[in-house]
Structure formats: structure tokens, C-alpha cells
Amino acid sequence: TLSRSWFRLVLTFMELLETSSTPSALMQPHIMMLPPPCFTVRTMIHCGGPGQMGYANTQQKAAGIHTRLYSRAFIIDDGTRRVVFVTADVGMISQRLRLEVLQALQEKYGDQYRQDNVVLSGTHTHCGPGGYFQYTLFMISSSGYIKASVQPLVNGIVKSIDRAHQNMRPGRIYRNRGELDHSSINRSPHSYMNNPEDERLRYKDNTDKQVLVLKFTDLDGDGIGMLSWFAVHAVSMNYTNRLVSSDNMGYASYLLEQDKNPGELPGQVRAAWTEPSSELQSDISNILKHFLVYDTVQRTVSSACLCQTKMCAAFGPGDDMFESTRIIGQNIYMKAKELYATAVEEVTGSVQSAHQWVNMTDVSVPINSSHTVSTCKPALGHSFAAGTTDGGGDLNFTQGAVEGDPFWDGIAGALLGRPSNETKECHRPKPILFNTGEMNTPVPWHPQIVDVQILTVGSVAVVALVSIELTTTIIIIIIIIITAVQVIIQLILIPLKHYS
């Protein structure tokens, strides 16, 4: 533990995408329900432009802008070691994007910012640019690798770190947590109920409602910024949307920054308040009010679609996706602001970081004292094709499927190759639809070796895993993660039990 309780830190952000001052010709009056000014993005304004990342919808081409996208950088230095946490308004951080950012940082700063002490996190908006991946599965819907998307992302993330690097000053960190209701639901309740009853009884709800806040101040107690985590999918802007948007998490950040930086323009504020993506998101969506069924305008509160699944789109609490974005973002903002104001538990101690590449196809996981299992190559099942309440899939696949379909299995096998017996046995009882872990043409379809990272600041540990979504009660995945984290924590000699 340090003899002093303060850290050198700074928080700042930079707009991700190069913009012009021309208002979007595609804006409609009700879009102005969100206060941020709307501008065209030169790399993304035209119809038929780059695909958006999130819904895997090949028709979701960017055609205007709803809210700007930002990168916010947080640097913490204890006098000996330094860590960087960046949260960017994108769907996720790809390995390729991360490596390009690290290369740019190495050219500027040498070994000061490295793969072990720089964490990049996406807010998980489903309405940002695509085209910055190196795996086929993620490139299909965005029409491949798009340099016009990648370079602005790299430039914006690096610029936010540059600004933070140039403005380091002594400060303190405080932690607080609470719960936020009426802002999230389980987006696959049918699948959730397939978890064993004794497992479900361990939890009060079928979603994680905790909000965790880290409050940053200078030595005089004046606010510098805040990091706040809340487990909700950034899908208030549903899959019918064609506008670039930071969604509910980005709007919450905007509200916090306008509150704490009165009179400042977005992107020009003195401090950053932000909502990075949470660790438990994949089964938690923005709160559902109804489905809109396009052919009949029929509404239902059921978690199942009553017609062709692609004809249904889930809505949040508002009358449209713009109002839902505002409501959910406002709820997150208000709770984070409350926790920020009442945060008194100071975070003290040293700063540590570690990184390791993990082959996720070959991890041995002890289930108990007598039983050990092993991971295997990735594959997508029939339930993947069913989608969720945020937006259904094609061809009426259903959630929770444990049996395949000879017709679709035959077509997928003939076109893409059949899974090996080893892979089928490993994934059982999940029926495999797309055997992505064994598909390598034109490039590998699915990552197998992934980044595993941890940053520790005093008693706070941030675990970073590239492009992964967890459900509330998938214990086997949690065990895998804990196993990987224990390995890298051993590298920095910090007991896991001391961290939260």
C-alpha cells in the first residue's frame, strides 16, 4: 500500500469520428428529443455506406447521425506504475483495432503504454461503425474490412489518450454502488428459465441491477470524472435504426458531462463522465414495453413473437426508440449522479496490470474434486439464429433449442462444412448450426486465442475480455474466466480475494 492515498490521474475524451458542421439532411423532428447537436459523419453519411456493428443485419447501413461517438480515456498512475482505461462508443473492441491502437501508442510513447496496461472497452452501442474486425463472422454484415471505419476509430482513441497523457495531475478515487430498477429486463427469459431452479434461486432477479461508480477528484475534492458500470444492452435504438448513435449509455454519459461541465460543448469539456460496457450484458436488455409487429401493428407483452420473427422489433419504455433511449439514459444518469454525490469509500493502494493470450479451445476447467472438463472450438447453435427480444432471427428458429433440424443442418453442412464429432460432443446438448470454429475460409471465422487482461487500482480489479458476453447464471463460463484471471493474477502476485 502506498504511503500516500492519491494517484496521478486524468480523464478526457476525443470525438471518435471526423465530422463536418453540416446538419444531417435525414434528421426528422422527433430525433431532436435528444439534446446533442446532430452532424453528418463524412465517412458514414451516404446511404449504402459502411454497415453498422451490433445486430448482424446486412441491411443496416449508416444513413445519418443521431448522436456523436466519443472515446474517453482514464489514466491512473501511482508514482511507480500506470494504467489506462479507454471507453469508446463502439459495439466492441476487436483484436485488430486493439493491436492497431497499441501500435500507434508504441510509435508515440515507446513502452509506456503496452498491451498489459492499456484496456480498451466499447459501450456496446449497436449503431456504431462496423468493418474493423479480422474474423469472417464479424465482417459479413459490414461488408468486410473497411479502412474508412478503422482509421477514425484508431485516431480518436489515440487522441483521447494523448490528451489524458498531457494533463496528468494528483487526485483521489472513491467507490460507491447501488441498484437501479425499471431500466432493464432479461432479453431471453425463455432461455433463462432453462437454468436449474437451484441455480436461479441464488439470485433475487434474473438480471444484474447493480450500478458501480468510481469517482475521480483532484486533491481539493473537485470532480475530475467518473466511471460507472451498469449491466444493460445498448439496444434502445433497435435494429430498424439506420442512424449512427451512442444509444442509452452514450446519452447517460452526455447528460453527466453536461451536468458537471455547464456551458461546455460536447467533446470540449474539462472532464469525462462515462458508462463503459458492463461485464454481464448478453441477457440484459433495456426494459420492454411492447413489441411492434409491422404487418398488423399487433402488440404483446409476451417474450415470443406471434408471427415471422423478422417482423417483430422490441421497444423500450418509450413510444419509439428515440424516447426509449432518452428514458433509459436518463435513468442511468440519475442513479450514477446520486452514487457519485454520496461516494465516500476511498480507493487506496498500488496500481497493477497484467495481460495474457489464452487459447479458449483448450482450457481445462475443474468442476469439482473428481470431474474436469475442457473447452473446445467455438460453434453457433440453432438458438443463435433465433435472436432475442431485441430482434428476432430469420426462418423462425426458436430460443432454447436442444435439437437440430435435418433440413437446415444439411444445408449448413453442405455449404460451410459439418462439425467434427469432437466439436459436436463438446457442445452437446446444443445443436450446432454454424461450425465457425473449424471454418477458415477466406480467413478464420471465429477467434480462438483471445486477450485476457486485468487492471487493479487499490482494492478495485477490472477484468477485460475481448468481445465476450456473459449471462447472469452461466457458471461454467464464470469458472473459465476465474481460472484465466487466477493465472494472470499470479503473474502480478495479488490475491484474488482482496479484489471486488
Side-chain angles (χ1 to χ4, degrees), residues 293-296 298 304-312 396:
V293 184
Y294 291 104
D295 55 352
T296 63
Q298 178 182 0
C305 189
L306 302 182
C307 58
Q308 289 286 328
T309 55
K310 271 297 184 183
M311 298 301 291
C312 292
N396 281 352

Side-chain angles (χ1 to χ4, degrees), residues 200-443:
R200 287 185 275 114
L201 290 176
R202 300 178 191 178
Y203 306 92
K204 183 177 66 173
D205 299 295
N206 64 1
T207 60
D208 177 14
K209 298 181 181 296
Q210 179 177 264
V211 180
L212 175 65
V213 163
L214 292 182
K215 173 182 179 178
F216 299 84
T217 73
D218 61 21
L219 295 182
D220 295 326
D222 294 329
I224 296 178
M226 183 190 75
L227 274 169
S228 173
W229 286 269
F230 175 59
V232 66
H233 239 79
V235 289
S236 292
M237 301 293 290
N238 64 40
Y239 76 85
T240 67
N241 174 54
R242 297 294 182 271
L243 302 175
V244 173
S245 176
S246 60
D247 212 286
N248 47 42
M249 304 296 269
Y251 185 52
S253 297
Y254 167 82
L255 291 175
L256 283 160
E257 285 163 349
Q258 291 301 291
D259 188 302
K260 299 299 181 180
N261 300 277
E264 300 285 351
L265 293 174
Q268 304 297 322
V269 301
R270 297 181 298 275
W273 276 255
T274 189
E275 302 279 343
S277 62
S278 177
E279 72 281 7
L280 293 174
Q281 282 195 323
S282 74
D283 65 351
I284 303 175
S285 189
N286 56 169
I287 191 168
L288 180 68
K289 181 177 180 181
H290 54 254
F291 281 107
L292 176 61
V293 184
Y294 291 104
D295 55 352
T296 63
V297 198
Q298 178 182 0
R299 295 176 182 234
T300 174
V301 295
S302 169
S303 63
C305 189
L306 302 182
C307 58
Q308 289 286 328
T309 55
K310 271 297 184 183
M311 298 301 291
C312 292
F315 275 68
D319 289 333
D320 56 35
M321 59 185 169
F322 303 101
E323 185 180 13
S324 293
T325 300
R326 179 185 61 79
I327 292 172
I328 300 299
Q330 178 86 15
N331 291 349
I332 298 170
Y333 152 68
M334 292 298 293
K335 189 63 182 183
K337 179 181 177 181
E338 171 196 324
L339 294 172
Y340 177 90
T342 56
V344 294
E345 179 189 355
E346 187 169 2
V347 176
T348 62
S350 61
V351 170
Q352 304 277 359
S353 63
H355 169 277
Q356 184 170 326
W357 292 100
V358 177
N359 183 352
M360 293 299 293
T361 71
D362 187 25
V363 177
S364 295
V365 182
I367 301 299
N368 51 45
S369 59
S370 61
H371 187 44
T372 298
V373 297
S374 178
T375 59
C376 54
K377 293 181 179 180
L380 301 177
H382 284 240
S383 292
F384 160 80
T388 67
T389 54
D390 323 292
D394 288 305
L395 305 172
N396 281 352
F397 287 92
T398 58
Q399 297 178 20
V402 294
E403 293 184 1
D405 182 293
F407 178 75
W408 294 117
D409 290 343
I411 290 178
L415 294 177
L416 303 173
R418 300 181 185 277
S420 65
N421 291 334
E422 178 185 4
T423 298
K424 288 193 291 185
E425 183 60 32
C426 181
H427 283 266
R428 193 179 307 276
K430 180 180 81 178
I432 294 175
L433 182 62
F434 299 123
N435 182 32
T436 53
E438 297 176 330
M439 294 162 54
N440 297 295
T441 303
V443 295

Side-chain angles (χ1 to χ4, degrees), residues 50-53 96 129-133 138-139 142-147 149-150:
Q52 293 176 283
M53 175 61 206
R96 179 164 190 158
Y132 57 94
F133 293 82
F138 306 114
M139 291 193 290
S142 57
S143 303
Y145 174 80
I146 304 172
K147 189 173 182 179
S149 290
V150 176

